[in-house]
Amino acid sequence: MSLGRPTTVRLQRIARAYRESGALLAAVELDLFSKINQGANTEEKLSAALGISSLNAERITVACLGLGLIIRDEDKLKNAIDVERFLTKEKSTYAGDWMFFTQPDWEKWGRLSDFLKNNEPAKLDNETVKGITIDEARRYHRATFSIGRGAGRLFVRSVDLSFHHRMLDIGGGSGAYCIEACNANPHLKATVLDLPEVTLVAQEFIAENNLSDRIITHDADFNKDPFPKDADIAIMASNLPMYGRQAIQAVIQKVYDALLPNGEFHLIGEALNEDRSGPTDPAIWGLAQTLHNSTGMAHSITECTDYIKNAGFQSIDINEFVPGVLTRISGVKSSN
Ligand SMILES: C[S@@+](CC[C@H](N)C(=O)[O-])C[C@H]1O[C@@H](n2cnc3c(N)ncnc32)[C@H](O)[C@@H]1O
């Protein structure tokens, strides 16, 4: 950061960032990026392809150019490379659904200070998932599956699963990690543990991927119910900020107690750095829990390492997973 006289530029950008979110979400909702890919590569063609006025086509195009989502190549519009890969529907890597994951909270963010002033005791049951309808679970996990498949593939590339027999995925959601792990390791079996409304949805994804004979689901509230005891590797991904310190420690203790001797545990979480000063993404995931009065918060790498050590795991290893977003912290259970 410049050491010169401060300006309001950075503050203004943060204050109005919601408008940038709005522009991105509208473009995805209109499927603007796929249309560009299909040849609607001028404002005029976009106006026709999207069925919007030429004035509005010009406005959204200019905004997307300003945000670097699209670029002008001579007189033709082109998608930026990340947009091309993740936001055009033709690609198997399409993650448009994930862009809308947090949208149900959109209106509440405008009233965050009211939520911060709420002094009622925080609830262990997290209302974003506990007691949701099956349709809500479907929307939620269409989103997590669209991003979780890539994360699952990254996990498979990062961790040797060749000598493991059964993987237990705590809060496994759509089953994305188990699906990718089983696809890459034909001998592996897996269990997706999640709330009952979610396991029904997981079964749909598992069946679509022809893995119903190797991946089973297990209905459980991981804060309250016992875990199956036949896994030699367990993972827990992308639910760290949903619960407070005590709850996360208790879940990891249950994982330790349930794993077979020499079993491995991988916590893939939105963890803050050691001094809790960032990155932004885990910090904001933690803040988001204010809107739901849950016990959730941002946990640091140091805290996560302590939870894993306190549970009894050894050989703790910390690895960056998705830079600035997710850290993978692992430990191994003793042999007896
Ligand atoms: C953001 S999703 C992540 C899903 C999956 N791990 C992934 O990375 O794709 C969080 C998951 O944790 C599950 N979860 C949260 N609280 C839970 C609880 N108390 N018991 C069981 N599952 C829970 C949710 O239902 C949801 O499927």
Side-chain angles (χ1 to χ4, degrees):
M1 193 192 284
S2 157
L3 295 175
R5 197 182 165 95
T7 74
T8 59
V9 171
R10 183 176 76 99
L11 307 179
Q12 292 196 56
R13 175 93 197 250
I14 298 172
R16 293 195 293 263
Y18 69 95
R19 307 199 303 185
E20 300 181 15
S21 312
L24 172 64
L25 293 187
V28 176
E29 209 165 338
L30 292 167
D31 205 17
L32 179 146
F33 306 118
S34 304
K35 297 285 188 262
I36 289 182
N37 216 23
Q38 292 156 13
N41 54 8
T42 63
E43 273 122 311
E44 202 184 349
K45 287 184 189 167
L46 270 178
S47 160
L50 301 178
I52 62 176
S53 72
S54 55
L55 176 58
N56 283 340
E58 183 178 342
R59 286 174 172 145
I60 189 70
T61 302
V62 167
C64 288
L65 284 163
L67 287 167
L69 297 170
I70 56 178
I71 44 183
R72 213 187 281 282
D73 186 7
E74 311 221 327
D75 57 347
K76 300 282 183 282
L77 300 169
K78 272 182 25 184
N79 291 315
I81 49 171
D82 50 356
V83 168
E84 179 69 17
R85 185 164 161 79
F86 298 110
L87 296 180
T88 60
K89 280 197 171 145
E90 295 81 4
K91 296 281 183 327
S92 63
T93 42
Y94 182 71
D97 292 314
W98 178 246
M99 302 299 133
F100 293 91
F101 181 66
T102 58
Q103 199 196 27
D105 284 346
W106 173 276
E107 175 271 333
K108 289 190 184 139
W109 279 100
R111 296 185 285 119
L112 176 62
S113 62
D114 291 340
F115 287 95
L116 285 166
K117 285 186 233 156
N118 178 7
N119 285 327
E120 285 167 30
K123 294 170 290 189
L124 178 62
D125 281 348
N126 192 307
E127 70 182 17
T128 61
V129 290
K130 193 78 197 260
I132 62 173
T133 65
I134 294 172
D135 279 346
E136 283 163 342
R138 279 207 182 93
R139 184 206 78 85
Y140 186 109
H141 287 295
R142 254 200 313 277
T144 69
F145 191 68
S146 75
I147 197 83
R149 273 182 334 176
R153 280 188 216 121
L154 179 58
F155 178 72
V156 167
R157 288 199 299 276
S158 319
V159 176
D160 180 6
L161 297 172
S162 61
F163 59 94
H164 289 293
H165 300 288
R166 180 168 291 278
M167 178 163 122
L168 174 64
D169 190 352
I170 313 288
S174 66
Y177 278 74
C178 291
I179 289 170
E180 294 304 331
C182 286
N183 270 336
N185 294 274
H187 67 283
L188 189 68
K189 297 202 162 118
T191 306
V192 177
L193 180 149
D194 211 301
L195 297 164
E197 299 78 11
V198 176
T199 55
L200 278 175
V201 177
Q203 283 164 18
E204 295 170 0
F205 284 107
I206 294 164
E208 273 167 35
N209 285 275
N210 300 316
L211 284 165
S212 304
D213 55 336
R214 288 167 55 209
I215 306 178
I216 55 169
T217 60
H218 182 96
D219 293 353
D221 178 334
F222 61 53
N223 292 315
K224 298 174 185 167
D225 299 323
F227 292 169
K229 295 197 180 274
D230 57 348
D232 56 1
I233 180 164
I235 68 167
M236 175 154 153
S238 293
N239 43 32
L240 183 62
M242 297 176 78
Y243 296 98
R245 297 185 171 100
Q246 238 184 325
I248 296 292
Q249 178 68 77
V251 174
I252 295 178
Q253 187 63 60
K254 277 205 287 189
V255 174
Y256 183 86
D257 295 342
L259 270 174
L260 291 168
N262 297 315
E264 250 174 67
F265 174 55
H266 297 259
L267 176 67
I268 298 162
E270 300 82 345
L272 296 172
N273 55 26
E274 285 80 357
D275 70 4
R276 304 183 58 75
S277 62
T280 307
D281 203 52
I284 300 294
W285 280 116
L287 180 63
Q289 291 297 324
T290 312
L291 306 175
H292 304 287
N293 198 26
S294 77
T295 60
M297 53 175 291
H299 303 255
S300 71
I301 289 177
T302 314
E303 287 174 308
C304 294
T305 306
D306 284 346
Y307 305 143
I308 294 176
K309 261 191 212 155
N310 293 342
F313 287 103
Q314 294 163 0
S315 310
I316 313 282
D317 200 14
I318 303 169
N319 288 280
E320 196 170 53
F321 192 63
V322 177
V325 181
L326 290 169
T327 306
R328 180 172 60 83
I329 309 170
S330 60
V332 181
K333 181 169 171 169
S334 59
S335 53
N336 47 41

